[in-house]
Amino acid sequence: MGIDHINDIERLKKINAALISRVERSMDQQGNAFSLFQTAINLENTVRRRTEELRSTLRRLEQSNIDLVEAKEAAELANLSKTRFLAAASHDVLQPLNAAHLSISALAELQVGDEGRKLVRQVERSLETMEDLLRTLLDISKLDAGVVQPSVGAVSLDHLFSSLRSDFLPLAEQKGLDLRFRSTLASVRSDRSLLRRILQNILSNALRYTRSGGVLVGARRRGDVIRIDVADTGCGIPEDQREAVFEEFNRGSRAMGLSAGGLGLGLAIVRRMAGALGHSVDFTSVVGKGTVFHLEASLVSMAAAETQSAIVELERPPGYGLFGTKVLLIENDEPVLEAMCTLLERWRCTVRTAVDSAEAIEALNGGDWAPDIIIADQHLDQGDLGTETIADVRQLLGRVVPALIITADPSDEIARTAKARNIEMMRKPVKPAQLRALLAHLLA
């Protein structure tokens, strides 16, 4: 075989190898393209699947939001219904409770023996506990529902402290405790009634859980804020009870010796009332040494404080008697009517009664008898209202006879209507001593 022939063979081998290599590369490229095609299909399927999952999740989230809104609306409606129910229930329950208060007061004046007076006092204490519970539950319900509208103005702390001292000093002396108030000229921006209730509940707790030593109430200025402190030498509050003491029906831990009776609602309503007024409330405590509650409120000017002081002085009722007073009593609840008549007659008043507006007018049509004062329930027979009936009687008599609405209806609308018509108002159940003082004030 010649050299040329050998060279041709080698050249053919190289060409063949090059062709094979090219074919292999082409096949590899096709394989890679197919692989990329498969990968793209898989990715597209994955994206589609994830998109469907995301849409499904969004639909579930939207439905959850709708359910949450519906649940919130249902809860708000239930809360409003609860408030209305408690208001209505308290009105119905307070009616017989009011009659019981009045009857027990009249019964107490008939007792000549120690045993009888002791039993009467026990019944009175039970009625007072029931009244406190009902009123506090209603107050908490109204505060939670946001229907309480504070009447904010200048409140003199000195007058407030003086009133609280008068109320709590007998209890402190009975327990052998020292109760002191540091006088102050400061006034705060608050609702006098709600602020008094807050301090009253804190003081009541302080005296309840203090066995020796005493309680000190004072105020100090911090810039534009007044901090009211109520300090006691009681058993103190453990750190793990800081939030629990503000919960409903919490009466302290027996293990720490803190349980001392009561309803366990005092501090629960303190926090709610402070929140409604925009006041901050907190405390510091050392177990075994005592507790200091802090209440912060905005400072007001001296001019506003002097105006409030003048108003308080005008509101203090003088102590006049009721002998011979002619009373027109308008009440449609028979037990309350009988109890109130008995009580007024024990005070040597002359009483005429009616159950609605027509009877009230009829009682005066003879012209031989005119009342010195009118006492009326708000909700009477025939759908009559006490405020309207008083207006009718005044028109008949031609003069503005002193008048008092006594009602268990907790709505603020009645209070506004009574105030606009120059009518005093008391909430049921009525405390006889307060009723007698207010009647004497109106007659004076």
Side-chain angles (χ1 to χ4, degrees), residues 138-139 141-153 190-195 272-273 275-278 410-413 415-416 419 427:
L138 180 58
D139 287 343
S141 176
K142 290 170 70 177
L143 287 165
D144 286 346
V147 298
V148 173
Q149 298 297 326
S151 178
V152 177
S190 187
D191 179 299
R192 189 178 191 279
S193 177
L194 293 180
L195 181 59
R272 286 170 167 85
M273 286 184 172
L277 291 169
S411 67
D412 294 331
E413 183 180 351
R416 288 192 293 269
K419 184 177 181 180
R427 302 287 190 190

Side-chain angles (χ1 to χ4, degrees), residues 116-418:
R117 284 193 289 268
K118 181 180 178 181
L119 289 173
V120 167
R121 185 57 194 146
Q122 288 176 350
V123 175
E124 284 180 336
R125 281 197 296 268
S126 298
L127 291 175
E128 287 168 0
T129 300
M130 185 185 300
E131 178 190 350
D132 287 343
L133 178 59
L134 287 171
R135 287 200 182 282
T136 303
L137 288 173
L138 180 58
D139 287 343
I140 287 176
S141 176
K142 290 170 70 177
L143 287 165
D144 286 346
V147 298
V148 173
Q149 298 297 326
S151 178
V152 177
V155 179
S156 167
L157 292 183
D158 200 41
H159 283 118
L160 188 58
F161 286 178
S162 177
S163 173
L164 290 169
R165 184 181 185 279
S166 175
D167 287 351
F168 284 95
L169 188 59
L171 176 60
E173 290 176 343
Q174 182 182 356
K175 295 188 66 175
L177 301 174
D178 182 27
L179 177 59
R180 288 183 292 160
F181 289 81
R182 286 181 179 168
S183 61
T184 175
L185 296 177
S187 293
V188 296
R189 181 171 176 75
S190 187
D191 179 299
R192 189 178 191 279
S193 177
L194 293 180
L195 181 59
R196 190 185 194 285
R197 182 75 179 275
I198 290 171
L199 295 178
Q200 178 180 312
N201 285 3
I202 294 175
L203 262 173
S204 179
N205 263 30
L207 291 172
R208 178 178 294 121
Y209 294 110
T210 301
R211 293 182 174 85
S212 63
V215 178
L216 173 65
V217 183
R220 63 182 66 186
R221 179 173 177 175
R222 294 188 168 187
D224 294 333
V225 172
I226 291 290
R227 194 181 81 177
I228 304 171
D229 293 333
V230 181
D232 65 60
T233 57
C235 51
I237 301 172
E239 187 63 27
D240 61 0
Q241 293 286 313
R242 285 194 68 86
E243 288 302 316
V245 296
F246 290 105
E247 295 174 0
E248 295 89 345
F249 302 106
N250 184 290
R251 295 185 290 180
S253 168
R254 291 187 180 275
M256 294 299 300
L258 296 178
S259 185
L263 301 173
L265 292 171
L267 294 182
I269 203 168
V270 160
R271 173 167 281 184
R272 286 170 167 85
M273 286 184 172
L277 291 169
H279 300 340
S280 65
V281 60
D282 199 1
F283 67 87
T284 55
S285 185
V286 178
V287 175
K289 293 187 177 181
T291 303
V292 184
F293 271 88
H294 315 290
L295 180 72
E296 292 188 348
S298 299
L299 181 70
V300 297
S301 66
M302 186 65 78
E306 290 173 355
T307 301
Q308 183 65 24
S309 176
I311 292 173
V312 172
E313 288 297 327
L314 288 173
E315 288 178 347
R316 289 180 179 171
Y320 292 91
L322 299 177
F323 184 84
T325 299
K326 289 178 282 188
V327 180
L328 175 59
L329 177 61
I330 311 169
E331 171 65 69
N332 64 327
D333 188 284
E334 188 173 346
V336 175
L337 184 68
E338 292 178 359
M340 183 69 84
C341 276
T342 301
L343 188 63
L344 291 170
E345 288 168 355
R346 293 288 299 174
W347 293 342
R348 301 294 189 269
C349 297
T350 302
V351 185
R352 287 195 180 182
T353 63
V355 297
D356 55 28
S357 184
E359 281 196 14
I361 297 299
E362 185 180 348
L364 305 176
N365 269 338
D368 58 340
W369 189 90
D372 299 311
I373 195 165
I374 306 168
I375 301 176
D377 187 12
Q378 175 63 2
H379 300 287
L380 303 169
D381 282 354
Q382 313 304 325
D384 293 343
L385 298 177
T387 49
E388 299 293 339
T389 301
I390 289 171
D392 292 342
V393 171
R394 284 174 169 176
Q395 185 176 6
L396 176 66
L397 296 173
R399 61 189 178 90
V400 181
V401 182
L404 169 65
I405 286 288
I406 299 178
T407 180
D409 190 331
S411 67
D412 294 331
E413 183 180 351
I414 296 175
R416 288 192 293 269
T417 303

